[in-house]
Amino acid sequence: MDQIILQILNGLDKGSAYALIALGLTLIFGTLGVVNFAHGALFMMGAFVSVTVSKVLTISHKVVDESRTDFLGNPLEVDVPYLYDFFGQAAGDVIIDWAVPISILVAIPIMIAIGFIMERGLIKHFYKRPHADQILVTFGLAIVLQEVIKYFYGANPIPTPAPEAFTGSFDFGVAFGFDPNAIIYPYWRLVYFFFSLIVIGAVFAFLQFTTFGMVVRAGMADRETVGLLGIDIDKRFTIMFGIAAAVAGLAGVMYVPINPPNYHMGMDFLVLSFVVVVVGGMGSLPGAVAAGFLLGILESFASMSAVINVLPGINQIIIYLVAIIILLTRPRGLMGRKGVMEE
Amino acid sequence: MFGLEKKDARLLIIVIGLTMLAPFILNPFPEGSEMAQFNAGYPDLMQRFVIFGILAIGFNILFGLTGYLSFGHAAFLGVGSYAAVWMFKLLSMNVLPAIVLSVAIAGLFSLIIGYVSLRRSGIYFSILTLAFAQMSYALAYSVLTPLTGGETGLQPKATDPRVLDGALAPGETATPSLFGFAMRDSYELTMGSWIFTFNFGYYFAAIVMILAFYVSIRIFRSPFGMMLRAIKSNQTRMSYTGLNAKPYTLAAFVISGMYAGLAGGLLVAMDPQAGAERMFWTASGEIVLMTILGGAGTLIGPVLGAGFIKYFENIVSKINKSTLEQWFYWMPDGIEDVMIAIVYPFVGKGWHLTLGLLFMLVVIFLPGGLVQGGQKIAGMFRRKKTQDAKDGATTPAE
C-alpha cells in the first residue's frame, strides 16, 4: 500500500509538467487549430527565465571588507550583491533564496509577450496552410530557440536550487499512519504539484466564468459562426496563444529545481506532451490534464523495481505503448469530442 | 532510354555525371590554400552525401508523393544498420548480404509500423510514427541491449563467428568489403596542388544511389505513383470513387522504409558500427528537413537537400573564430570585430541555428524548396529574355 502511494506521489510532478504543457498545446490546437512543435521550446524558455532571474539577483559589486583580512593583513574584497544595498543583507538574502518563485512574476509578462510575438509574427500566416507546414515551421522555430539558448547559456545543465524553506522532504508515512521513512517526498515536488493545480484551475476558471472565456470556448466549437456574430475572434485567439505560452513557461519556471535546465529539455518534453495530448483527446482540455497526470503516474509505476524485473525497460516505453493502444482502439482519445481531427 | 522519357533520362544522366565526377567537382580549391576547407571531396563526406541522398529519395516517396508526414523514419535507418552489423558478425564481411538483410528487415519493420500507423492520417499519423520511433529508440537503448549493444552500440569483433569468412587473423581488423575489394580503399590522384581521392566505398554507394534514383523515377512515372499523387491531393474523393487507398499508402510506406534501411545498411558498410542515437526523433526531423529543403515531391530535390545539409554540417561546423579572423583581416579593426561577432553565432558549433533559420525561411517563403527557388530564378531570366525579344519585335522601325 505504501508502495502504491509512493509511486502515485512520484508520478505527480512529472504528471504536473506533462499536464501543464499538454494543456497549453491543447489550448493552441483547440482554438487556433495549429500544431505547435515549438511548445517544448516555450517550456524551456520559462525555465531559462528562472535561471536568468536568479543570476540577475546575484549581480554584485566588490566592496572592501575591513573586518576580514587575508594572510598578509590586507583587507579582503568581498562580492556584495546590489540587492544588499537596496534591501539590506537579511532581506536581500531572502530575495536571492526565493529567486525561483519570484521568477513567476517576471515570467508571466515575458512569456505572454513571447506568445504574442510568435502568434502575430509567424503562426498567424499558417492558419490556412496544411498541418504539415505548421509542424515544420514550428519545428524550425524550436531548433532556432534552442540554439539561441545554447549560445547564451551553454550546453551544460544549470543547477538552480529551490528556496531553503523547501529543501528536505515531507514524511507522508507518519501522516498516513505508516512507518516513518516509508513514504518521504521532497517538499518542492509537492509545491510543483499544487502550483500546477492552481495554474490549471486558473485557466479553467478563466475559460468557464468570464465572457472572454465563453467566447473562446464558442470559438473552439465553431470558429466561423463566432466570427459571423461580429466578434473579433482573431484578437482573442492571439490572447489565448499568449496564455498558452505563459502556461508552458510557468511549467518551466517551477520545474527548474527538480531538474537543472539545459537547452534540449524542450525537445525532451515535447514528444511526450504530444503523446499526452493525443491520449487525452485532441482539443479536450480536461482530457489533456487527466492524461498528463495519468501517464505521469503510470510511468512511475512502470519504473518500480518489481515491474522492471518482470518486464525490463517497460518504464521507458510505457507511455508510447499506452498511446499506441489508445489511438488504435479509441482514436479520439480518452475525452476527445467526436469529429475533432478524425479522418 | 531505360524506359524513361527524355526529360527524366536527361536528369538521370546529369545525376550519374555528378556522382561519378564528385571527387573532382567537390574539390575545387587546391590543397593548402585558404579555401581548402570548403573542399568536400573526401571519402567520408562524399559517402554521406549519397547515402543520405538515398534516405531522402525514399522519404520523398512517402511525404512528397503520398503526403504522409512521418516523423519516425530514423527508426528504419537504425534497424537497417543493426541488421547489417549482425550480418557482418554472423556471416561475412561482404557488404552485399548485409545490405540485402538490412533492406529486408527494414521492410518488415516498416510493414508492421505502417500497418498500425496508417490507420490514422494527418497529425495523428505523424504522432503515431513519432511514438513508434521513440519506442524503438528506447528499446534499442535499453531492453534490447543483447541485440543492439545498448549505449555502446554494435560493431564487428574479432571473436565473431563469421561463418563464411572464418575468424580473423590476430591483429587484423574487420573491414567491410565487396568480394575482396575493401570499402575504405582509396586511390589518390595528385595533379599540381590538387589531390583527388577516389574511394571504392564511395563509388559503390554512388552506384547504389543511382539505382535507387532510377527506381524512384520509375515509381514517380508509374500508374502506382499517379495513384499516390491522387491520394495526396484528395483522399476523400478517392474513397468516393470506390478505391481503397490503404494498400497504396502502405506500399509507399514500406518502400520508403526499405530505402531508409538501405541507407542504414550502406552507412554500416562504410563504417561498421551502429548506435541507438541514429534513431532519436530529431534524426527523423533531419530527414524531413532534407526533403523539405530540397523540395518535397520533386525528383532531384531531396538529393540536393541531403547534400546541402550534410555539406553544411561538415563544413560550416568546422569554421571557428580564427578562421573568421582570417576572413575579415583586411577590414579595419573595429569593423572586423563587429563582423566576427555577427557571423560567429551562425557558424562552428552554432550551425544548427543557421539550419533552423534556413529551414524556417524555406517553409515560409519557398514551400517547394531549393528546386522551386531555382525554377523561380530560371523563370525570372527566361521572362526577361522573352520580354527583350518582344520589345525588339515591337519597336517600330523608323
Short mmCIF file of all heavy atoms in Angstrom, two decimals, chain B residues 64-118:
data_model
loop_
_atom_site.label_atom_id
_atom_site.label_comp_id
_atom_site.label_asym_id
_atom_site.label_seq_id
_atom_site.Cartn_x
_atom_site.Cartn_y
_atom_site.Cartn_z
N GLY B 64 6.58 13.37 -50.13
CA GLY B 64 6.38 14.23 -51.28
C GLY B 64 5.29 13.73 -52.20
O GLY B 64 4.52 14.50 -52.75
N LEU B 65 5.24 12.41 -52.34
CA LEU B 65 4.30 11.86 -53.31
C LEU B 65 2.95 11.55 -52.67
O LEU B 65 1.90 11.87 -53.22
CB LEU B 65 4.91 10.57 -53.88
CG LEU B 65 4.51 10.16 -55.29
CD1 LEU B 65 4.72 11.31 -56.24
CD2 LEU B 65 5.34 8.97 -55.73
N THR B 66 2.98 10.95 -51.48
CA THR B 66 1.75 10.48 -50.87
C THR B 66 1.19 11.48 -49.86
O THR B 66 0.02 11.39 -49.48
CB THR B 66 1.99 9.13 -50.19
OG1 THR B 66 2.89 8.39 -50.97
CG2 THR B 66 0.71 8.35 -50.05
N GLY B 67 2.05 12.39 -49.37
CA GLY B 67 1.56 13.41 -48.45
C GLY B 67 1.48 12.99 -47.00
O GLY B 67 0.87 13.68 -46.20
N TYR B 68 2.08 11.87 -46.64
CA TYR B 68 2.06 11.45 -45.25
C TYR B 68 3.37 11.87 -44.59
O TYR B 68 4.44 11.42 -45.00
CB TYR B 68 1.89 9.94 -45.14
CG TYR B 68 0.46 9.48 -45.25
CD1 TYR B 68 -0.20 9.49 -46.46
CD2 TYR B 68 -0.23 9.06 -44.11
CE1 TYR B 68 -1.52 9.09 -46.57
CE2 TYR B 68 -1.55 8.66 -44.20
CZ TYR B 68 -2.18 8.68 -45.44
OH TYR B 68 -3.48 8.29 -45.52
N LEU B 69 3.28 12.73 -43.57
CA LEU B 69 4.49 13.24 -42.91
C LEU B 69 4.87 12.29 -41.78
O LEU B 69 4.24 12.27 -40.73
CB LEU B 69 4.24 14.64 -42.37
CG LEU B 69 5.37 15.27 -41.57
CD1 LEU B 69 6.63 15.35 -42.39
CD2 LEU B 69 4.99 16.64 -41.08
N SER B 70 5.89 11.49 -42.02
CA SER B 70 6.33 10.56 -40.98
C SER B 70 7.46 11.20 -40.19
O SER B 70 8.39 11.75 -40.75
CB SER B 70 6.82 9.26 -41.61
OG SER B 70 7.72 8.61 -40.74
N PHE B 71 7.36 11.14 -38.87
CA PHE B 71 8.42 11.67 -38.03
C PHE B 71 9.19 10.54 -37.40
O PHE B 71 9.78 10.69 -36.33
CB PHE B 71 7.84 12.61 -36.96
CG PHE B 71 8.18 14.04 -37.17
CD1 PHE B 71 7.30 14.90 -37.81
CD2 PHE B 71 9.40 14.53 -36.77
CE1 PHE B 71 7.62 16.22 -38.02
CE2 PHE B 71 9.74 15.85 -36.97
CZ PHE B 71 8.84 16.70 -37.60
N GLY B 72 9.20 9.37 -38.04
CA GLY B 72 9.85 8.24 -37.41
C GLY B 72 10.78 7.47 -38.33
O GLY B 72 11.11 6.33 -38.06
N HIS B 73 11.22 8.13 -39.42
CA HIS B 73 11.99 7.35 -40.39
C HIS B 73 13.38 6.98 -39.91
O HIS B 73 13.98 6.05 -40.43
CB HIS B 73 12.04 8.07 -41.73
CG HIS B 73 11.11 7.46 -42.73
ND1 HIS B 73 9.78 7.29 -42.45
CD2 HIS B 73 11.32 6.92 -43.94
CE1 HIS B 73 9.21 6.71 -43.48
NE2 HIS B 73 10.12 6.46 -44.39
N ALA B 74 13.88 7.71 -38.91
CA ALA B 74 15.21 7.36 -38.39
C ALA B 74 15.20 5.94 -37.82
O ALA B 74 16.22 5.26 -37.81
CB ALA B 74 15.63 8.35 -37.33
N ALA B 75 14.04 5.49 -37.36
CA ALA B 75 13.96 4.14 -36.80
C ALA B 75 14.34 3.10 -37.85
O ALA B 75 15.05 2.15 -37.56
CB ALA B 75 12.55 3.88 -36.28
N PHE B 76 13.89 3.31 -39.09
CA PHE B 76 14.19 2.33 -40.14
C PHE B 76 15.67 2.35 -40.49
O PHE B 76 16.28 1.32 -40.76
CB PHE B 76 13.33 2.58 -41.37
CG PHE B 76 11.87 2.63 -41.06
CD1 PHE B 76 11.07 3.65 -41.51
CD2 PHE B 76 11.30 1.64 -40.26
CE1 PHE B 76 9.73 3.70 -41.20
CE2 PHE B 76 9.96 1.69 -39.94
CZ PHE B 76 9.17 2.71 -40.41
N LEU B 77 16.21 3.57 -40.48
CA LEU B 77 17.65 3.70 -40.71
C LEU B 77 18.41 2.91 -39.65
O LEU B 77 19.33 2.14 -39.95
CB LEU B 77 18.03 5.18 -40.64
CG LEU B 77 19.49 5.54 -40.87
CD1 LEU B 77 19.77 5.57 -42.34
CD2 LEU B 77 19.82 6.86 -40.24
N GLY B 78 17.99 3.08 -38.39
CA GLY B 78 18.67 2.40 -37.29
C GLY B 78 18.54 0.90 -37.41
O GLY B 78 19.52 0.15 -37.28
N VAL B 79 17.32 0.44 -37.69
CA VAL B 79 17.10 -1.00 -37.82
C VAL B 79 17.95 -1.57 -38.94
O VAL B 79 18.58 -2.62 -38.80
CB VAL B 79 15.59 -1.28 -38.08
CG1 VAL B 79 15.39 -2.71 -38.50
CG2 VAL B 79 14.80 -0.99 -36.84
N GLY B 80 18.01 -0.84 -40.05
CA GLY B 80 18.83 -1.28 -41.16
C GLY B 80 20.29 -1.42 -40.77
O GLY B 80 20.95 -2.40 -41.11
N SER B 81 20.80 -0.44 -40.00
CA SER B 81 22.22 -0.54 -39.66
C SER B 81 22.47 -1.67 -38.66
O SER B 81 23.50 -2.36 -38.77
CB SER B 81 22.79 0.79 -39.17
OG SER B 81 21.85 1.57 -38.56
N TYR B 82 21.56 -1.88 -37.73
CA TYR B 82 21.75 -3.02 -36.81
C TYR B 82 21.77 -4.34 -37.58
O TYR B 82 22.61 -5.21 -37.33
CB TYR B 82 20.65 -3.06 -35.76
CG TYR B 82 20.83 -2.06 -34.65
CD1 TYR B 82 19.82 -1.19 -34.29
CD2 TYR B 82 22.03 -1.99 -33.95
CE1 TYR B 82 20.00 -0.26 -33.28
CE2 TYR B 82 22.22 -1.07 -32.94
CZ TYR B 82 21.19 -0.22 -32.60
OH TYR B 82 21.36 0.69 -31.60
N ALA B 83 20.83 -4.46 -38.53
CA ALA B 83 20.76 -5.71 -39.30
C ALA B 83 22.06 -5.94 -40.05
O ALA B 83 22.59 -7.07 -40.08
CB ALA B 83 19.58 -5.64 -40.28
N ALA B 84 22.61 -4.86 -40.64
CA ALA B 84 23.85 -5.03 -41.41
C ALA B 84 25.00 -5.46 -40.51
O ALA B 84 25.78 -6.34 -40.87
CB ALA B 84 24.17 -3.71 -42.12
N VAL B 85 25.10 -4.85 -39.32
CA VAL B 85 26.19 -5.24 -38.42
C VAL B 85 26.05 -6.70 -38.03
O VAL B 85 27.04 -7.45 -37.99
CB VAL B 85 26.23 -4.34 -37.18
CG1 VAL B 85 27.33 -4.80 -36.24
CG2 VAL B 85 26.48 -2.91 -37.56
N TRP B 86 24.81 -7.13 -37.80
CA TRP B 86 24.63 -8.55 -37.42
C TRP B 86 25.05 -9.47 -38.56
O TRP B 86 25.62 -10.54 -38.32
CB TRP B 86 23.18 -8.83 -37.00
CG TRP B 86 23.04 -8.60 -35.54
CD1 TRP B 86 22.39 -7.58 -34.94
CD2 TRP B 86 23.61 -9.40 -34.50
NE1 TRP B 86 22.54 -7.66 -33.59
CE2 TRP B 86 23.27 -8.77 -33.28
CE3 TRP B 86 24.39 -10.54 -34.45
CZ2 TRP B 86 23.67 -9.27 -32.05
CZ3 TRP B 86 24.79 -11.05 -33.23
CH2 TRP B 86 24.44 -10.42 -32.05
N MET B 87 24.79 -9.05 -39.77
CA MET B 87 25.20 -9.88 -40.90
C MET B 87 26.72 -9.96 -40.95
O MET B 87 27.29 -11.02 -41.20
CB MET B 87 24.67 -9.25 -42.19
CG MET B 87 24.42 -10.24 -43.28
SD MET B 87 23.21 -11.48 -42.74
CE MET B 87 22.90 -12.28 -44.28
N PHE B 88 27.38 -8.81 -40.69
CA PHE B 88 28.85 -8.82 -40.62
C PHE B 88 29.34 -9.77 -39.54
O PHE B 88 30.32 -10.49 -39.71
CB PHE B 88 29.38 -7.42 -40.29
CG PHE B 88 29.31 -6.46 -41.44
CD1 PHE B 88 29.19 -5.10 -41.22
CD2 PHE B 88 29.38 -6.92 -42.74
CE1 PHE B 88 29.12 -4.23 -42.27
CE2 PHE B 88 29.32 -6.05 -43.80
CZ PHE B 88 29.18 -4.69 -43.56
N LYS B 89 28.64 -9.75 -38.40
CA LYS B 89 29.10 -10.57 -37.28
C LYS B 89 28.91 -12.05 -37.55
O LYS B 89 29.77 -12.86 -37.24
CB LYS B 89 28.32 -10.18 -36.00
CG LYS B 89 28.75 -8.88 -35.37
CD LYS B 89 27.78 -8.44 -34.33
CE LYS B 89 28.24 -8.74 -32.93
NZ LYS B 89 29.40 -7.96 -32.52
N LEU B 90 27.77 -12.38 -38.15
CA LEU B 90 27.42 -13.80 -38.25
C LEU B 90 27.93 -14.45 -39.53
O LEU B 90 28.42 -15.57 -39.51
CB LEU B 90 25.90 -13.98 -38.17
CG LEU B 90 25.29 -13.60 -36.84
CD1 LEU B 90 23.79 -13.75 -36.89
CD2 LEU B 90 25.88 -14.45 -35.72
N LEU B 91 27.81 -13.73 -40.65
CA LEU B 91 28.01 -14.42 -41.92
C LEU B 91 29.35 -14.07 -42.56
O LEU B 91 30.22 -14.93 -42.69
CB LEU B 91 26.86 -14.06 -42.87
CG LEU B 91 26.61 -15.02 -44.01
CD1 LEU B 91 26.27 -16.39 -43.45
CD2 LEU B 91 25.49 -14.51 -44.89
N SER B 92 29.50 -12.82 -42.93
CA SER B 92 30.69 -12.48 -43.70
C SER B 92 30.84 -10.97 -43.73
O SER B 92 29.86 -10.24 -43.56
CB SER B 92 30.56 -13.04 -45.11
OG SER B 92 30.87 -12.07 -46.05
N MET B 93 32.05 -10.48 -43.97
CA MET B 93 32.25 -9.04 -44.07
C MET B 93 31.88 -8.52 -45.44
O MET B 93 32.06 -7.34 -45.73
CB MET B 93 33.70 -8.68 -43.74
CG MET B 93 34.08 -8.76 -42.28
SD MET B 93 32.98 -7.89 -41.15
CE MET B 93 33.47 -6.20 -41.45
N ASN B 94 31.40 -9.39 -46.32
CA ASN B 94 30.93 -8.93 -47.62
C ASN B 94 29.70 -8.04 -47.42
O ASN B 94 28.80 -8.37 -46.65
CB ASN B 94 30.59 -10.14 -48.48
CG ASN B 94 30.44 -9.76 -49.93
OD1 ASN B 94 30.01 -8.66 -50.24
ND2 ASN B 94 30.80 -10.67 -50.81
N VAL B 95 29.66 -6.89 -48.11
CA VAL B 95 28.58 -5.95 -47.85
C VAL B 95 27.26 -6.37 -48.50
O VAL B 95 26.20 -5.96 -48.04
CB VAL B 95 28.94 -4.53 -48.32
CG1 VAL B 95 30.04 -3.97 -47.47
CG2 VAL B 95 29.29 -4.50 -49.77
N LEU B 96 27.31 -7.19 -49.55
CA LEU B 96 26.06 -7.48 -50.26
C LEU B 96 25.02 -8.16 -49.38
O LEU B 96 23.90 -7.66 -49.27
CB LEU B 96 26.35 -8.32 -51.51
CG LEU B 96 26.72 -7.52 -52.75
CD1 LEU B 96 26.76 -8.43 -53.96
CD2 LEU B 96 25.74 -6.38 -52.98
N PRO B 97 25.37 -9.30 -48.71
CA PRO B 97 24.34 -9.89 -47.86
C PRO B 97 23.89 -8.95 -46.76
O PRO B 97 22.69 -8.92 -46.41
CB PRO B 97 25.02 -11.13 -47.27
CG PRO B 97 26.43 -11.08 -47.67
CD PRO B 97 26.59 -10.11 -48.75
N ALA B 98 24.81 -8.14 -46.23
CA ALA B 98 24.45 -7.21 -45.16
C ALA B 98 23.39 -6.23 -45.64
O ALA B 98 22.39 -5.98 -44.97
CB ALA B 98 25.69 -6.47 -44.69
N ILE B 99 23.61 -5.69 -46.85
CA ILE B 99 22.66 -4.69 -47.35
C ILE B 99 21.32 -5.33 -47.68
O ILE B 99 20.26 -4.79 -47.39
CB ILE B 99 23.26 -3.97 -48.56
CG1 ILE B 99 24.38 -3.06 -48.07
CG2 ILE B 99 22.23 -3.16 -49.29
CD1 ILE B 99 25.17 -2.43 -49.16
N VAL B 100 21.38 -6.53 -48.26
CA VAL B 100 20.13 -7.23 -48.57
C VAL B 100 19.34 -7.46 -47.29
O VAL B 100 18.13 -7.19 -47.21
CB VAL B 100 20.42 -8.57 -49.28
CG1 VAL B 100 19.15 -9.40 -49.37
CG2 VAL B 100 20.99 -8.31 -50.66
N LEU B 101 20.04 -7.91 -46.25
CA LEU B 101 19.32 -8.16 -44.99
C LEU B 101 18.78 -6.85 -44.41
O LEU B 101 17.65 -6.82 -43.92
CB LEU B 101 20.24 -8.84 -43.97
CG LEU B 101 19.48 -9.21 -42.70
CD1 LEU B 101 18.61 -10.43 -42.93
CD2 LEU B 101 20.41 -9.47 -41.53
N SER B 102 19.56 -5.78 -44.47
CA SER B 102 19.06 -4.55 -43.84
C SER B 102 17.84 -4.04 -44.58
O SER B 102 16.90 -3.54 -43.95
CB SER B 102 20.16 -3.50 -43.75
OG SER B 102 20.71 -3.26 -45.00
N VAL B 103 17.81 -4.17 -45.91
CA VAL B 103 16.62 -3.75 -46.65
C VAL B 103 15.43 -4.62 -46.26
O VAL B 103 14.33 -4.12 -45.99
CB VAL B 103 16.86 -3.82 -48.17
CG1 VAL B 103 15.58 -3.56 -48.92
CG2 VAL B 103 17.92 -2.83 -48.58
N ALA B 104 15.67 -5.93 -46.16
CA ALA B 104 14.57 -6.84 -45.85
C ALA B 104 14.02 -6.58 -44.46
O ALA B 104 12.80 -6.47 -44.26
CB ALA B 104 15.04 -8.29 -45.97
N ILE B 105 14.92 -6.44 -43.48
CA ILE B 105 14.46 -6.23 -42.11
C ILE B 105 13.75 -4.89 -41.98
O ILE B 105 12.68 -4.80 -41.36
CB ILE B 105 15.66 -6.28 -41.13
CG1 ILE B 105 16.33 -7.65 -41.16
CG2 ILE B 105 15.21 -5.93 -39.72
CD1 ILE B 105 15.70 -8.67 -40.29
N ALA B 106 14.32 -3.85 -42.59
CA ALA B 106 13.66 -2.54 -42.52
C ALA B 106 12.30 -2.61 -43.20
O ALA B 106 11.33 -2.00 -42.73
CB ALA B 106 14.53 -1.47 -43.18
N GLY B 107 12.19 -3.39 -44.28
CA GLY B 107 10.90 -3.54 -44.95
C GLY B 107 9.88 -4.19 -44.04
O GLY B 107 8.74 -3.72 -43.92
N LEU B 108 10.29 -5.26 -43.38
CA LEU B 108 9.38 -5.96 -42.46
C LEU B 108 8.94 -5.03 -41.33
O LEU B 108 7.76 -4.95 -40.99
CB LEU B 108 10.11 -7.15 -41.84
CG LEU B 108 9.91 -8.51 -42.48
CD1 LEU B 108 10.70 -9.57 -41.73
CD2 LEU B 108 8.42 -8.85 -42.44
N PHE B 109 9.93 -4.35 -40.77
CA PHE B 109 9.68 -3.46 -39.65
C PHE B 109 8.72 -2.35 -40.06
O PHE B 109 7.76 -2.03 -39.34
CB PHE B 109 11.03 -2.88 -39.21
CG PHE B 109 11.02 -2.21 -37.89
CD1 PHE B 109 10.73 -2.93 -36.74
CD2 PHE B 109 11.34 -0.87 -37.78
CE1 PHE B 109 10.73 -2.31 -35.51
CE2 PHE B 109 11.35 -0.25 -36.56
CZ PHE B 109 11.05 -0.97 -35.42
N SER B 110 8.94 -1.79 -41.26
CA SER B 110 8.06 -0.71 -41.68
C SER B 110 6.68 -1.25 -42.05
O SER B 110 5.69 -0.52 -41.94
CB SER B 110 8.67 0.05 -42.85
OG SER B 110 8.93 -0.81 -43.91
N LEU B 111 6.62 -2.52 -42.45
CA LEU B 111 5.31 -3.11 -42.72
C LEU B 111 4.48 -3.13 -41.44
O LEU B 111 3.31 -2.74 -41.43
CB LEU B 111 5.49 -4.53 -43.27
CG LEU B 111 4.21 -5.23 -43.71
CD1 LEU B 111 3.63 -4.55 -44.93
CD2 LEU B 111 4.46 -6.70 -44.00
N ILE B 112 5.11 -3.56 -40.34
CA ILE B 112 4.38 -3.62 -39.06
C ILE B 112 3.97 -2.22 -38.62
O ILE B 112 2.80 -1.95 -38.34
CB ILE B 112 5.26 -4.28 -37.98
CG1 ILE B 112 5.61 -5.71 -38.37
CG2 ILE B 112 4.56 -4.26 -36.64
CD1 ILE B 112 6.71 -6.32 -37.55
N ILE B 113 4.96 -1.30 -38.59
CA ILE B 113 4.66 0.05 -38.10
C ILE B 113 3.67 0.75 -39.03
O ILE B 113 2.73 1.40 -38.59
CB ILE B 113 5.96 0.86 -37.94
CG1 ILE B 113 6.76 0.29 -36.78
CG2 ILE B 113 5.66 2.33 -37.71
CD1 ILE B 113 8.01 1.04 -36.47
N GLY B 114 3.87 0.57 -40.33
CA GLY B 114 2.98 1.20 -41.28
C GLY B 114 1.56 0.67 -41.17
O GLY B 114 0.60 1.43 -41.21
N TYR B 115 1.45 -0.64 -40.97
CA TYR B 115 0.12 -1.24 -40.87
C TYR B 115 -0.67 -0.60 -39.75
O TYR B 115 -1.86 -0.30 -39.88
CB TYR B 115 0.23 -2.75 -40.65
CG TYR B 115 -1.10 -3.44 -40.62
CD1 TYR B 115 -1.78 -3.69 -41.81
CD2 TYR B 115 -1.70 -3.82 -39.43
CE1 TYR B 115 -3.01 -4.28 -41.82
CE2 TYR B 115 -2.94 -4.43 -39.42
CZ TYR B 115 -3.60 -4.66 -40.62
OH TYR B 115 -4.82 -5.24 -40.61
N VAL B 116 0.02 -0.37 -38.61
CA VAL B 116 -0.66 0.22 -37.47
C VAL B 116 -0.86 1.72 -37.67
O VAL B 116 -1.96 2.24 -37.50
CB VAL B 116 0.13 -0.08 -36.18
CG1 VAL B 116 -0.58 0.54 -34.99
CG2 VAL B 116 0.27 -1.57 -35.99
N SER B 117 0.23 2.43 -38.04
CA SER B 117 0.17 3.90 -38.10
C SER B 117 -0.80 4.38 -39.17
O SER B 117 -1.46 5.41 -38.99
CB SER B 117 1.54 4.49 -38.40
OG SER B 117 2.51 3.97 -37.56
N LEU B 118 -0.88 3.67 -40.28
CA LEU B 118 -1.68 4.17 -41.40
C LEU B 118 -3.17 4.02 -41.17
O LEU B 118 -3.97 4.39 -42.02
CB LEU B 118 -1.27 3.46 -42.69
CG LEU B 118 0.03 3.99 -43.28
CD1 LEU B 118 0.57 3.06 -44.33
CD2 LEU B 118 -0.18 5.38 -43.85
#
